[in-house]
Amino acid sequence: GAGVSQSPSNKVTEKGKDVELRCDPISGHTALYWYRQSLGQGLEFLIYFQGNSAPDKSGLPSDRFSAERTGGSVSTLTIQRTQQEDSAVYLCASSLAIPSGELFFGEGSRLTVL
Amino acid sequence: DAKTTQPNSMESNEEEPVHLPCNHSTISGTDYIHWYRQLPSQGPEYVIHGLTSNVNNRMASLAIAEDRKSSTLILHRATLRDAAVYYCILKAAGNKLTFGGGTRVLVKP
């Protein structure tokens, strides 16, 4: 596709369930970022993948959160035993791995935990 | 991470220019200055970026101070559609990107 694709666009789940959010970056983009945005707040960094390097997981809020990137392309963010405070829009972005490479964001996955 | 500081909000009248400042006093020599904006209920979108020289594109202009410790995004003629949160960030090779709170721009008709 032409841009970053995220799915699902909306997810409603019950507290305690696991959820998976998917990000399809732009082809050729070796850098991939996950952010979380709660209502009315800024972008909170979660995790960063760069090529074959170990991901920077410093933003993951708890061990219930994990992410992987298979084959250097598609990424999945998994939240286990969801809590109500996990409700937010989860945004994925990709870019070329150079400082001048602009970020392209997906439309986000809106997660609501009841 | 090199951090940026921006005012929380700014107001402008429609058709007038908007100057959005960003301070980045700890910028390193290889950091690029990027600007993004987030319209209501949308993901952020790229606006402009630069290293040392001033830059112009169809959306905006970027003025970078000679010492690179600050920059200004210039919207030449604000429209109602320019109402958004504008983020200034520093991007280096191989580093994560953290966004600050950005500047919320309100455009009055």
Side-chain angles (χ1 to χ4, degrees), chain A residues 33-109:
Chain A
Y33 311 78
W34 281 99
Y35 295 91
R36 177 169 73 172
Q37 189 168 37
S38 301
L39 189 62
Q41 304 299 309
L43 281 77
E44 176 189 5
F45 168 79
L46 296 178
I47 188 168
Y48 163 59
F49 294 91
Q50 169 45 44
N52 295 322
S53 303
D56 183 333
K57 304 179 181 180
S58 58
L60 294 178
S62 77
D63 58 8
R64 296 186 296 105
F65 287 73
S66 63
E68 63 176 19
R69 188 177 185 190
T70 53
S73 182
V74 173
S75 177
T76 302
L77 177 68
T78 302
I79 308 172
Q80 294 179 309
R81 306 180 302 282
T82 52
Q83 304 293 313
Q84 288 185 333
E85 59 263 28
D86 300 334
S87 297
V89 176
Y90 289 81
L91 289 158
C92 174
S94 72
S95 78
L96 294 173
I98 53 177
S100 59
E102 64 185 83
L103 268 69
F104 292 83
F105 282 83
E107 292 297 315
S109 292

Side-chain angles (χ1 to χ4, degrees), chain A residues 31 33 35 37 40-43 45 48 50 56 58-59 91 95-107 110, chain B residues 1 30-34 36 38 41-46 49 87 89 91-101 104:
Chain A
Y33 311 78
Y35 295 91
Q37 189 168 37
Q41 304 299 309
L43 281 77
F45 168 79
Y48 163 59
Q50 169 45 44
D56 183 333
S58 58
L91 289 158
S95 78
L96 294 173
I98 53 177
S100 59
E102 64 185 83
L103 268 69
F104 292 83
F105 282 83
E107 292 297 315
R110 180 177 297 278
Chain B
D1 298 334
T30 55
D31 288 338
Y32 273 71
I33 302 159
H34 283 239
Y36 293 82
Q38 188 172 23
S41 302
Q42 294 187 25
E45 63 177 355
Y46 167 81
H49 76 270
Y87 297 97
I89 64 171
K91 189 169 188 277
N95 288 352
K96 68 184 183 187
L97 293 177
T98 53
F99 284 73
R104 183 174 298 278

